[in-house]
Amino acid sequence: MTRVETTPTARWSTLVCVVTAGLLGALIGVALTASAPIPGVVEPSEVVSAAIPIVRVLMDLAAVATIGLGLLSVMVGYDRPKLTEPIMRRARPAAVAAALIWSAGSVVALILQTAEYKPGKSTLTASDIGAYIAEVGAGKALVIVAVLALLHAGLGFLALRQGEKVPAEVRVGVGMFALLPLPVTGHASNSSWHDYTMISMELHVMSAVAWCGGLGAMIVLLATNRTLLAHALPRFSKLATLCLAVSAVTGVFNGAVEILANPTISFWAGVFTTPYGQLVLLKIACTGAITLLAANLRWRLMPQIVRHNRTAIASWATLELTVMGLAFGFAVVLTRAPVAVS
């Protein structure tokens, strides 16, 4: 008789790989976009300039974990609580912790971006932060994100006590809503394409987060449980295929529109000679690699998983998630990269 493993054994090495890749991607992006100081212009300190993308990528990865852990409950289903509860008892507090990190990261990013907005000041006051929130869209967005992430954590605390009586769909919905404010404060401000780029950017972020978060939650918490993995992975595969298509199309569209909207440089020069274009190319390369890895998981490994056979899914999925983390690091810097520099 085949033994069904119900003890949740988390693969924290996967999480370490993703976070490390995200930080590496952000640092590569910072190096690509570094520019010489402009004489007579007060620049923010190098510490602030480097800390902003680092905090933002950690914030984004916390959002990925928060939403992915919420999706996990939906993917494993509600009809077998004896089998799923050992997993969910570990997922729920992890989701609360991730949401709190997401909220705290938003506050830290707000302080750092205020310091960037007020270069040359040795100390920041509450009025400085208040002025940044009042005058800059990104400040307002970070406040909204911090509040919504905190609300998600509150729902998570209720779920710790009441389980699935607090619907996972509600928690995922709040998390998805918290993703919306920040993307519209970066690029995508072109007059003729503004409405399309706003919608495209939101779809890009939500699809990428759901895709990466769902896969990450399954691999970290379900990799050793063949029964639940065989049930959840086919369900997730349908969502992942849609997210992959949406993320790839919207990512290329957003990058192309930004470069085309710059009248000071030709399209191909913008692609190959500007930091923005080079980061777009790096993200496209990551998407291509992820697509190949996802195809391997979907067509070669998943049939074996459905039959409860032993596979190397944890290693392959960790590699896919690591590339995803790298792409998230590039994306954080991409939202701040100058389009016009050649």
Side-chain angles (χ1 to χ4, degrees), residues 26-333:
L27 293 175
I28 291 172
V30 168
L32 278 175
T33 56
S35 58
I38 301 174
V41 176
V42 179
E43 300 281 349
S45 72
E46 293 181 357
V47 173
V48 169
S49 297
I52 289 174
I54 290 173
V55 171
R56 286 286 297 271
V57 77
L58 292 174
M59 190 178 90
D60 288 352
L61 292 177
V64 168
T66 301
I67 293 171
L69 290 164
L71 283 171
L72 182 65
S73 180
V74 179
M75 290 185 292
V76 298
Y78 309 107
D79 55 341
R80 295 178 293 177
K82 289 184 179 180
L83 189 59
T84 58
E85 270 305 300
I87 297 294
M88 299 315 301
R89 278 198 294 268
R90 181 165 290 191
R92 292 186 194 113
V96 172
L100 291 174
I101 293 171
W102 187 4
S103 183
S106 302
V107 175
V108 175
L110 175 63
I111 295 169
L112 289 171
Q113 289 181 205
T114 303
E116 183 184 49
Y117 187 65
K118 301 276 188 179
K121 292 200 67 171
S122 56
T123 58
L124 291 177
T125 64
S127 62
D128 291 328
I129 297 173
Y132 180 75
I133 294 170
E135 297 169 12
V136 182
K140 298 178 181 69
L142 285 167
V143 171
I144 295 171
V145 172
V147 171
L148 288 175
L150 198 59
L151 173 60
H152 193 290
L155 291 173
F157 275 117
L158 288 177
L160 289 176
R161 298 176 61 89
Q162 301 182 20
E164 297 309 315
K165 291 181 181 179
V166 182
E169 292 83 356
V170 173
R171 285 173 273 150
V172 172
V174 171
M176 285 292 187
F177 194 69
L179 296 174
L180 300 180
L182 269 179
V184 299
T185 64
H187 291 295
S189 58
N190 315 289
S191 57
S192 59
W193 291 90
H194 179 269
D195 293 340
Y196 300 106
T197 49
M198 291 297 100
I199 296 170
S200 178
M201 184 63 71
E202 303 288 17
L203 289 173
H204 181 74
V205 171
M206 288 192 293
S207 60
V209 169
W211 176 20
C212 184
L215 180 60
M218 280 198 305
I219 296 309
V220 171
L221 293 176
L222 295 187
T224 59
N225 192 314
R226 297 186 206 175
T227 301
L228 285 181
L229 191 62
H231 175 75
L233 187 60
R235 301 179 72 181
F236 173 73
S237 180
K238 298 174 183 177
L239 173 65
T241 301
L242 176 62
C243 289
L244 171 58
V246 171
S247 181
V249 171
T250 54
V252 171
F253 172 78
N254 294 334
V257 166
E258 289 298 335
I259 295 171
L260 284 169
N262 177 15
T264 65
I265 194 169
S266 70
F267 176 76
W268 293 113
V271 170
F272 292 105
T273 66
T274 66
Y276 184 90
Q278 291 162 1
L279 283 170
V280 168
L281 291 176
L282 285 172
K283 278 198 68 184
I284 290 173
C286 286
T287 302
I290 291 167
T291 301
L292 293 175
L293 292 167
N296 174 66
L297 192 155
R298 170 65 180 84
W299 301 111
R300 191 174 72 87
L301 298 181
M302 196 166 73
Q304 298 296 320
I305 291 166
V306 170
R307 291 193 288 269
H308 294 209
N309 295 336
R310 185 183 295 275
T311 67
I313 183 175
S315 298
W316 282 105
T318 296
L319 179 58
E320 182 178 342
L321 288 163
T322 299
V323 180
M324 286 180 178
L326 195 63
F328 269 90
F330 294 147
V332 164
V333 182

